[in-house]
Amino acid sequence: MKALVYTALSVVEVLDVPDVVLGENEVLVHVERAGICGSELHGIHQPSFRIPPLIMGHEFVGRTDGGRRVAVNPLLTCGTCDLCISRKTELCRTRLLLGAHRAGGFAERVAVPTSLLHDIPDTLDWDRAGLIEPVANALHAWHLAGAPSGQRIGVIGGGPIGLACIEIALANNASYVACAELSSDRANVAKEIGAHFVANALDGEFDVIFDAVGNATTRTKSLEHLIPGGVTVWLGLASAESDFDAAAAVRFEKTIRGSFAYSDEEFVAAIELAPLLNLSWSTTYPLTQGADIFLALMNGQTTPVKALLQP
Ligand SMILES: [Zn+2]
Ligand SMILES: [Zn+2]
């Protein structure tokens, strides 16, 4: 079968690979859409937990042999530890990610443990379904921020996760939503989906700020523009380095929360929420063009905002 394979540092290629072999309690999923994630674009530049050769892709939807339309929660958790039992499965210390620790969705077919399959309604088209995973991420971040209905929300970064954060904030009656985004293409999308203010940088104070970029500058800004006592949720992973004024965060009682992935309940909630959101900002490409679009995005191209690959 055809697959987009991470073959060496900063290299991805479309290759013919051996077909999938199913393990116990696994089913074959025929991929319909697989989203390219920012974490993958950043993640293959240096040695990490993604070890080549690897079929990446943790954001995918498709059909089973039996014809079920499914979204796949890509987090494989142990199910028996303290965190799994207390339903914080996303924090399982031994969690594995499909598309990172084992083969993912940038292929015609994937082996998926049955416990990770979730039905999606026939009314949700594949392009929108392909954005369920980023929506689940934003929903989890929203919950970590305390589900702050009616407040002033700042979002740094107008990529897929930032846009999903904007949509979740608007869907929850935020009084004001601002987005900081440097690319004019992405800024335009943020405006189109309803952000009240979009510029190169945030202006003023916010009750909650989501950092969907994750470098030293954006982390500093996420604290500077926060109201005393406010919460910033960090989702971005552009860089491990930070250089913020921790003493100011102490004096003004600002909370920093890291956000990664989502619970199974949040993933299901994202499936239910997806039809209600404006998810028109993806572009679908044939898997055979996957290497070209992946490398273009990796090298800084800002459009499409979200690329989905279709085998
Ligand atoms: Zn992702
Ligand atoms: Zn566990």
Side-chain angles (χ1 to χ4, degrees):
M1 64 171 181
K2 288 259 184 288
L4 177 68
V5 187
Y6 166 36
T7 50
L9 283 189
S10 304
V11 182
V12 292
E13 302 170 75
V14 176
L15 299 175
D16 283 304
V17 300
D19 211 337
V20 172
V21 179
L22 291 182
E24 212 180 318
N25 298 319
E26 292 180 355
V27 293
L28 197 63
V29 171
H30 301 262
V31 177
E32 287 284 350
R33 300 288 187 279
I36 296 176
C37 177
S39 69
E40 293 166 330
L41 299 171
H42 303 302
I44 69 165
H45 280 308
Q46 58 262 319
S48 74
F49 57 91
R50 291 183 177 89
I51 299 173
L54 172 71
I55 299 172
M56 298 190 294
H58 54 265
E59 308 176 0
F60 62 97
V61 290
R63 289 180 203 273
T64 66
D65 277 333
R68 276 176 75 190
R69 301 175 84 238
V70 292
V72 175
N73 179 341
L75 271 197
L76 190 55
T77 56
C78 80
T80 56
C81 71
D82 52 343
L83 291 158
C84 284
I85 285 170
S86 60
R87 305 187 79 78
K88 292 181 179 164
T89 48
E90 70 278 11
L91 297 178
C92 177
R93 294 172 191 84
T94 56
R95 69 184 179 203
L96 299 175
L97 184 65
L98 270 62
H101 301 99
R102 53 179 276 171
F106 295 156
E108 292 179 61
R109 292 174 284 282
V110 198
V112 178
T114 50
S115 60
L116 304 182
L117 300 178
H118 293 283
D119 288 311
I120 53 178
D122 289 338
T123 49
L124 189 63
D125 63 63
W126 289 119
D127 284 339
R128 296 163 73 85
L131 297 174
I132 286 168
E133 201 271 356
V135 169
N137 268 297
L139 192 59
H140 182 60
W142 182 257
H143 291 152
L144 289 180
S149 212
Q151 301 197 341
R152 291 171 61 89
I153 309 295
V155 176
I156 303 178
I161 297 286
L163 294 174
C165 287
I166 292 170
E167 299 213 31
I168 299 279
L170 291 170
N172 285 278
N173 305 314
S175 63
Y176 179 74
V177 181
C179 175
E181 170 56 51
L182 298 175
S183 138
S184 57
D185 298 313
R186 291 179 172 217
N188 285 336
V189 178
K191 278 179 215 151
E192 277 165 29
I193 65 168
H196 303 109
F197 172 90
V198 184
N200 284 350
L202 294 180
D203 188 29
E205 273 190 346
F206 296 86
D207 300 296
V208 172
I209 295 180
F210 297 97
D211 176 14
V213 176
N215 62 37
T217 305
T218 61
R219 290 184 183 127
T220 297
K221 292 290 174 197
S222 76
L223 283 160
E224 282 179 2
H225 286 279
L226 205 56
I227 195 169
V231 181
T232 179
V233 182
W234 291 357
L235 305 95
L237 287 166
S239 165
E241 275 76 49
S242 293
D243 177 27
F244 58 90
D245 185 345
V250 171
R251 288 192 195 101
F252 287 99
E253 302 191 352
K254 296 180 180 181
T255 301
I256 299 169
R257 300 212 60 164
S259 181
F260 184 86
Y262 30 76
S263 67
D264 218 38
E265 287 82 357
E266 286 166 332
F267 192 81
V268 170
I271 294 173
E272 288 164 4
L273 198 56
L276 309 175
L277 302 178
N278 179 349
L279 299 176
S280 56
W281 32 268
S282 69
T283 308
T284 298
Y285 298 86
L287 177 66
T288 47
Q289 288 178 22
D292 296 338
I293 190 66
F294 193 101
L295 294 171
L297 291 169
M298 191 177 84
N299 292 323
Q301 187 177 306
T302 54
T303 53
V305 173
K306 183 71 174 183
L308 302 179
L309 301 181
Q310 179 181 15

